[in-house]
Amino acid sequence: MRTRERAMKVGFIGLGNVGGKLAGSLLRNGIDLTVCDLDRDKVEAFAREGAKTGTNPAQLMRNCDAVITCLPSPAASDAVMRQMLPEISPKKIWMEMSTTDEAEVKRLGAMVIERGGAAVDCPVSGGCHRAATGNISIFVGCDRNTFDHILPFLTTMGRRVLHTGELGSASVLKVLTNYLATANLVTCCEALVVAKAAGMDLNTAYEAMKISSGTSFVHETESQVILNGSRDISFTMDLVKKDIGLFQEVADRAGVPLEINPVLIDIFQDGIDRFGPRELSPNIIRRLEEATGLDIQAPGFPPEMLDDEPEEPGYEVIPQGHPRKSAAG
């Protein structure tokens, strides 16, 4: 167990694939935690492990120092905020860990700040397997004083914590990195199908990609579950399309004429049309499997990714070329 300050009372709303694992890290490391979710079975599972349970978002904000939301859409975050807002007062903190729109998190955050509270966007990156072990990365957008205040319990959820700047900056970088992951996924799918079509052994092709300039985090994780056949990374096509759609909105607001992202949006819309919105995202390779009649599987790969790094205390990542900052100066 990590040694961390435990005085802060934290509420957590949204116990889905990622949220449940993040909340689990808080509970495992002794944080005073209250949870809330529409799925009562998930809430009761946390209660059995020692968490307090809340009946609604307003109650959590009333009784906790900080409330984290980790929800599937901006609309869900808005609905939760409408319930919490009357309970927000000075010294209360709202932390948005959902993947959401920069403009929306700024809008909701402005309402929190107007009532004297602090607002933070702090999405995570690195996959569900790292969320489960507390080794995921966290981007944090807020003022420096708030960042220093919440850093001790952020490092119970994540290994590498990056202060990205003001509110909204973390959400921009989150959808940017999800865009890169999506592009990596599609190119890995194409590379594996071409390797098979060209008569290559897929186990050997995987290793060639891994030890070369063509490797990536996505290849070293998602390509493995693709080749296993499970295609299970606990992430679905509708969520990919949402995330790259948010990235497109950032680009459009900034006046950047993207070329690759619109193609990715079309690819995933086609995948949704063919296989359904809740199909696992690595199964985007099925479009090419069906087009070629090839089966892209190989022996020896795991059905799901597990984090083999031991849980260790998290720390702040200082960007290259930046002086180390603190609230004191």
Side-chain angles (χ1 to χ4, degrees), residues 152-227:
F153 80 88
L154 284 176
T155 55
T156 68
M157 289 188 286
R159 171 78 69 86
R160 300 166 185 89
V161 182
L162 176 66
H163 184 220
T164 58
E166 295 301 314
L167 181 69
S169 59
S171 291
V172 171
L173 292 175
K174 168 60 176 176
V175 298
L176 181 154
T177 58
N178 276 19
Y179 157 71
L180 291 172
T182 303
N184 271 290
L185 172 59
V186 171
T187 56
C188 284
C189 290
E190 292 188 349
L192 290 170
V193 174
V194 170
K196 179 75 170 183
M200 298 295 103
D201 172 77
L202 287 177
N203 295 71
T204 304
Y206 172 84
E207 293 300 333
M209 292 163 67
K210 181 178 178 181
I211 66 172
S212 72
S213 58
T215 196
S216 65
F217 174 84
V218 170
H219 172 60
E220 294 179 23
T221 55
E222 296 191 41
S223 287
Q224 294 203 58
V225 296
I226 286 172
L227 290 167

Side-chain angles (χ1 to χ4, degrees), residues 55-101:
T55 57
N56 56 64
Q59 182 196 33
L60 261 66
M61 184 58 76
R62 183 166 57 250
N63 296 337
C64 297
D65 303 302
V67 174
I68 297 168
T69 49
C70 192
L71 299 163
S73 68
S77 292
D78 177 70
V80 166
M81 179 56 71
R82 290 177 184 276
Q83 296 182 58
M84 292 193 301
L85 197 60
E87 303 295 336
I88 293 174
S89 60
K91 296 187 179 181
K92 297 284 187 179
I93 304 172
W94 169 57
M95 299 172 59
E96 174 64 289
M97 299 196 83
S98 317
T99 299
T100 191
D101 177 58

Side-chain angles (χ1 to χ4, degrees), residues 144 147-148 163 165 316 318-319 322-329:
R144 184 69 207 191
F147 176 81
D148 288 336
H163 184 220
E316 180 184 357
I318 306 298
H322 283 205
R324 184 171 293 274
K325 302 175 183 178
S326 71

Side-chain angles (χ1 to χ4, degrees), residues 29-291:
N29 286 284
I31 297 296
D32 185 341
L33 182 70
T34 304
V35 297
C36 183
D37 193 278
L38 294 176
D39 187 332
R40 294 304 303 174
D41 289 340
K42 292 177 179 177
V43 172
E44 289 168 8
F46 268 85
R48 289 192 293 271
E49 296 297 320
K52 299 172 185 175
T53 63
T55 57
N56 56 64
Q59 182 196 33
L60 261 66
M61 184 58 76
R62 183 166 57 250
N63 296 337
C64 297
D65 303 302
V67 174
I68 297 168
T69 49
C70 192
L71 299 163
S73 68
S77 292
D78 177 70
V80 166
M81 179 56 71
R82 290 177 184 276
Q83 296 182 58
M84 292 193 301
L85 197 60
E87 303 295 336
I88 293 174
S89 60
K91 296 187 179 181
K92 297 284 187 179
I93 304 172
W94 169 57
M95 299 172 59
E96 174 64 289
M97 299 196 83
S98 317
T99 299
T100 191
D101 177 58
E102 168 206 13
E104 181 66 2
V105 78
K106 285 181 175 179
R107 183 185 72 83
L108 297 180
M111 295 190 290
V112 172
I113 293 167
E114 184 179 10
R115 298 183 66 88
V120 184
D121 62 322
C122 46
V124 298
S125 185
C128 284
H129 62 300
R130 289 188 175 174
T133 59
N135 287 329
I136 203 162
S137 297
I138 307 177
F139 302 155
V140 187
C142 62
D143 65 87
R144 184 69 207 191
N145 285 336
T146 299
F147 176 81
D148 288 336
H149 181 55
I150 64 178
L151 182 60
F153 80 88
L154 284 176
T155 55
T156 68
M157 289 188 286
R159 171 78 69 86
R160 300 166 185 89
V161 182
L162 176 66
H163 184 220
T164 58
E166 295 301 314
L167 181 69
S169 59
S171 291
V172 171
L173 292 175
K174 168 60 176 176
V175 298
L176 181 154
T177 58
N178 276 19
Y179 157 71
L180 291 172
T182 303
N184 271 290
L185 172 59
V186 171
T187 56
C188 284
C189 290
E190 292 188 349
L192 290 170
V193 174
V194 170
K196 179 75 170 183
M200 298 295 103
D201 172 77
L202 287 177
N203 295 71
T204 304
Y206 172 84
E207 293 300 333
M209 292 163 67
K210 181 178 178 181
I211 66 172
S212 72
S213 58
T215 196
S216 65
F217 174 84
V218 170
H219 172 60
E220 294 179 23
T221 55
E222 296 191 41
S223 287
Q224 294 203 58
V225 296
I226 286 172
L227 290 167
N228 171 272
S230 77
R231 282 77 194 271
D232 187 3
I233 59 161
S234 300
F235 207 69
T236 53
M237 290 188 184
D238 58 338
L239 295 178
V240 172
K241 185 169 181 287
K242 180 202 78 170
D243 291 352
I244 57 178
L246 291 172
F247 177 67
Q248 187 66 47
E249 291 176 15
V250 172
D252 290 345
R253 286 196 295 266
V256 180
L258 299 183
E259 297 177 292
I260 295 174
N261 194 56
V263 175
L264 294 175
I265 291 172
D266 289 344
I267 288 171
F268 272 88
Q269 183 59 60
D270 183 60
I272 289 169
D273 292 343
R274 293 183 188 216
F275 313 125
R278 303 303 293 169
E279 179 61 85
L280 293 164
S281 56
N283 260 327
I284 200 68
I285 199 172
R286 287 177 57 192
R287 298 169 68 251
L288 291 175
E289 288 180 313
E290 291 180 356

